[in-house]
Amino acid sequence: MTTALRHTRELRAVARHLGRRRFLTATGAAAALAFAVNLPTAGTAAAAELDPRKLAEDPFTLGVASGDPLPGSVLLWTRLAPRPFEPGGGLPRARIEVGWEVAHDARFTRVARRGRTTAHPEFDHSVHVDVTGLDPDRVYHYRFRAGRWTSPVGRTRTAPRAGARISALKLAAVSCQAYHDGYFTAYRHLADEDLDAVFHLGDYLYEYAVNAVGGARNHTDRRLPAHFNRETVTLEDYRLRYALYRSDPDLAAAHAAHPFVVTWDDHETENNYAGETPENDVPPEEFLLRRAAAYRAYWENQPLRMPQRPAGPDMRLYRRLRFGRLAQFDVLDTRQYRSDQAYGDGWQTPGPESEDPARTMTGETQERWLLDGWRASDALWNVVPQQVTFARRRNVPTPDFKLSMDSWDGYPASRQRILDGAEAAGIDNLVVLTGDVHVGYAFDLKEDFDDPSSRTVGTEFVATSVSSGKDGAEKPANWDNLTRANPHMRFYDGRRGYVTVTLTTEHARADFRTVSAVTTPGAPVSTAASFATEAGNPGLERV
């Protein structure tokens, strides 16, 4: 019996034993997950302690990261894994004490904060340190220590004070990094950018099998272990896949250079799942067990605070960050709470099913949270980092057009409630940041997408993929159809890269940064196009 088949049978046995009703309770989910991955149910106290001086190999192979900057704090992350491609990272099931330092300088001559924490085996020896007492709007450097080993040095930055009147903020948006489709070259260039934060908009990893040569990377200097050559299903699968991705030096460099604000899309769990509905025809309780494993591994491997730690198959990822009075960021989760895709998913002719007013992309609670947050906002720019294309996107310029049922086009009533809520709250400068589609777009958001002359109510910048889709092309095969069918689409480019967005008191400017190839390493980066929208006067202009 293959390992993948054995894992599948184990999952189904656990799911049948528990049943959906019991699994949906927090205790049932915890028990199911513990049973499925052999976790001690007694919690972190169950593990013995390992003297860190006995660590014979460097445990910091997966680098460091920071995230979710606040005015006086930032979240620091690392994960101990001296042999990252082995289950458990090559460590025994024991607690390990880890030291951390935050300094004003990269040489650590002026230490601002230091402390100690514990890496627990129940969380795969990941470390999440919420460092408080820092100055607002300040660059800091940080590192970890375990025994005689010291981690790479990371650079981070706190957010400005809540009421601060700052003049500029520069961020980057990235998404979709399939290891098997190519190198993460874009991240090497991103590491050299001068940024306040990076927003990762989903598909941090892919659940699909990765062969021994890393797919399109075609490694000649290494062979990846066979356990990567299967789809991720169990907690061990997801943990190992994060180790593979985080072992990439370009991704590690970007994390070490900038604080990240992360949200997921579908592939961190399974392609195009919707809420509790899987892509494939499996029992709901079996999928929820898989979702619980995926969510747990996501939290373990990202710079996220304790409020984001999942409970079984549930994890509250939507949250709000403020950068002075210049910008408010409302980070959405458009996977966990959405209605199932209409008409079986894919590109379909819209109709009564997709246009049902009861359909939701965000769920009622998250939608209300977003609209309430806008009503209370005093920020000049209200930015929504989220996953799937928000603007309408017809596939052909003829009456027989189709729309993507996985994007907001499959949930038009939900989109309209968001736009109506923005207008009711007096949001004059709405910017939506999007990933998912492996291309770069710039859209004017229209009051009425059927009327190109209608009022522009906001802007959407879509970040292309880091590597997904392989090298891509400046003008994909559907370029002519999409640009003719959607006059509010101001830009379309199918190459890999990222987008930087500079917010000032006068305008928001997007620079679409692209690399020429990802199937070979080391490609240069260039700016494909730049657009700006004026504060108080929505509408994109090329600059």
Side-chain angles (χ1 to χ4, degrees):
M1 182 187 300
T2 67
T3 303
L5 181 58
R6 177 175 57 81
H7 284 184
T8 300
R9 289 185 175 179
E10 287 175 355
L11 270 175
R12 289 178 176 168
V14 173
R16 284 195 303 269
H17 174 71
L18 284 151
R20 184 176 182 275
R21 179 177 295 179
R22 184 179 168 200
F23 188 85
L24 284 173
T25 68
T27 55
L33 197 58
F35 182 90
V37 297
N38 203 25
L39 289 175
T41 55
T44 56
E49 187 168 3
L50 175 71
D51 186 342
R53 292 174 296 181
K54 293 182 178 180
L55 291 171
E57 301 172 82
D58 181 7
F60 297 110
T61 59
L62 302 180
V64 299
S66 67
D68 281 14
L70 301 177
S73 70
V74 70
L75 193 287
L76 305 184
W77 175 93
T78 192
R79 177 178 148 201
L80 307 185
R83 294 191 293 279
F85 293 175
E86 296 180 11
L91 290 171
R93 295 195 61 77
R95 293 174 287 133
I96 302 173
E97 189 177 65
V98 179
W100 57 268
E101 291 180 303
V102 176
H104 294 282
D105 62 305
R107 299 181 64 184
F108 290 81
T109 59
R110 296 174 55 224
V111 174
R113 290 286 186 275
R114 59 164 50 98
R116 308 196 73 78
T117 190
T118 300
H120 293 282
E122 289 82 0
F123 298 112
D124 210 24
H125 292 104
S126 61
V127 172
H128 299 73
V129 179
D130 191 357
V131 181
T132 59
L134 301 176
D135 294 329
D137 201 14
R138 180 72 63 86
V139 170
Y140 288 96
H141 303 265
Y142 63 95
R143 65 187 177 188
F144 297 90
R145 284 199 173 101
R148 62 187 179 89
W149 302 99
T150 302
S151 76
V153 173
R155 177 186 179 276
T156 192
R157 185 172 192 140
T158 53
R161 288 183 296 103
R165 297 184 179 274
I166 58 175
S167 60
L169 171 69
K170 187 175 182 180
L171 59 98
V174 297
S175 70
C176 303
Q177 53 200 51
Y179 185 97
H180 58 276
D181 271 358
Y183 290 90
F184 295 166
T185 308
Y187 275 126
R188 180 61 59 175
H189 298 296
L190 185 75
D192 293 332
E193 298 265 10
D194 183 13
L195 303 170
D196 293 279
V198 174
F199 287 79
H200 198 293
L201 306 174
D203 294 344
Y204 190 95
L205 58 68
Y206 281 69
E207 76 275 30
Y208 305 137
V210 180
N211 66 18
V213 298
R217 294 188 178 210
N218 197 26
H219 294 312
T220 59
D221 60 342
R222 74 199 80 170
R223 302 283 292 181
L224 298 179
H227 54 61
F228 291 124
N229 199 18
R230 63 171 182 254
E231 185 168 337
T232 55
V233 176
T234 67
L235 179 57
E236 182 178 289
D237 291 338
Y238 287 106
R239 284 171 165 174
L240 286 166
R241 192 62 55 88
Y242 279 106
L244 174 64
Y245 277 59
R246 280 197 167 273
S247 69
D248 182 274
D250 295 336
L251 176 58
H255 272 298
H258 311 296
F260 272 55
V261 179
V262 300
T263 187
W264 54 38
D265 194 17
D266 51 342
H267 288 289
E268 290 90 350
T269 301
E270 181 191 55
N271 178 58
N272 278 21
Y273 80 95
E276 297 178 13
T277 305
E279 178 187 34
N280 300 311
D281 187 19
V282 300
E285 59 270 21
E286 183 179 326
F287 172 68
L288 287 173
L289 183 57
R290 178 180 183 175
R291 199 177 90 170
Y295 285 11
R296 184 187 183 102
Y298 185 84
W299 183 83
E300 289 174 348
N301 286 278
Q302 298 292 2
L304 291 165
R305 288 184 168 84
M306 287 298 290
Q308 277 67 60
R309 198 174 87 181
D314 302 314
M315 177 173 165
R316 177 168 166 168
L317 195 56
Y318 63 89
R319 60 206 189 279
R320 179 170 293 123
L321 299 171
R322 296 180 177 88
F323 283 71
R325 297 190 65 178
L326 185 63
Q328 176 172 297
F329 295 89
D330 293 290
V331 184
L332 299 190
D333 172 0
T334 65
R335 281 292 160 192
Q336 188 175 181
Y337 314 106
R338 65 157 69 189
S339 307
D340 195 13
Q341 292 92 344
Y343 300 114
D345 205 358
W347 287 78
Q348 307 290 345
T349 302
E353 184 180 344
S354 62
E355 294 169 358
D356 182 350
R359 291 177 54 73
T360 178
M361 178 67 88
T362 61
E364 182 182 354
T365 301
Q366 183 179 194
E367 180 181 298
R368 185 170 58 250
W369 166 86
L370 175 62
L371 302 187
D372 287 347
W374 280 344
R375 283 192 285 269
S377 175
D378 62 357
L380 177 64
W381 297 97
N382 284 272
V383 185
V384 183
Q386 56 95 51
Q387 294 73 26
V388 294
T389 306
F390 188 81
R392 194 181 66 183
R393 191 172 38 127
R394 291 178 170 178
N395 68 328
V396 292
T398 54
D400 58 345
F401 66 87
K402 294 182 178 180
L403 302 173
S404 168
M405 294 297 106
D406 189 58
S407 74
W408 287 83
D409 277 337
Y411 306 76
S414 190
R415 175 173 59 198
Q416 194 59 51
R417 289 194 297 271
I418 298 300
L419 291 175
D420 290 346
E423 182 174 13
I427 300 301
D428 296 322
N429 301 301
L430 173 64
V431 176
V432 178
L433 299 179
T434 299
D436 179 58
V437 286
H438 309 170
V439 299
Y441 290 134
F443 290 104
D444 286 334
L445 300 178
K446 305 300 288 186
E447 185 176 50
D448 181 358
F449 285 109
D450 285 321
D451 179 6
S453 65
S454 68
R455 186 167 58 99
T456 298
V457 296
T459 300
E460 181 177 12
F461 298 124
V462 180
T464 187
S465 64
V466 170
S467 63
S468 303
K470 301 180 183 177
D471 292 334
E474 182 178 357
K475 290 187 176 182
N478 64 353
W479 189 91
D480 186 60
N481 271 337
L482 259 65
T483 53
R484 289 173 56 212
N486 302 286
H488 55 286
M489 180 187 290
R490 306 298 303 280
F491 174 72
Y492 176 18
D493 190 296
R495 290 171 289 186
R496 308 295 147 242
Y498 54 93
V499 60
T500 63
V501 179
T502 304
L503 303 175
T504 73
T505 54
E506 290 82 32
H507 66 262
R509 171 180 172 139
D511 294 287
F512 290 88
R513 305 277 280 160
T514 59
V515 296
S516 56
V518 295
T519 53
T520 55
V525 68
S526 61
T527 300
S530 299
F531 289 84
T533 181
E534 184 182 357
N537 184 27
L540 289 169
E541 298 292 339
R542 194 152 188 161
V543 293

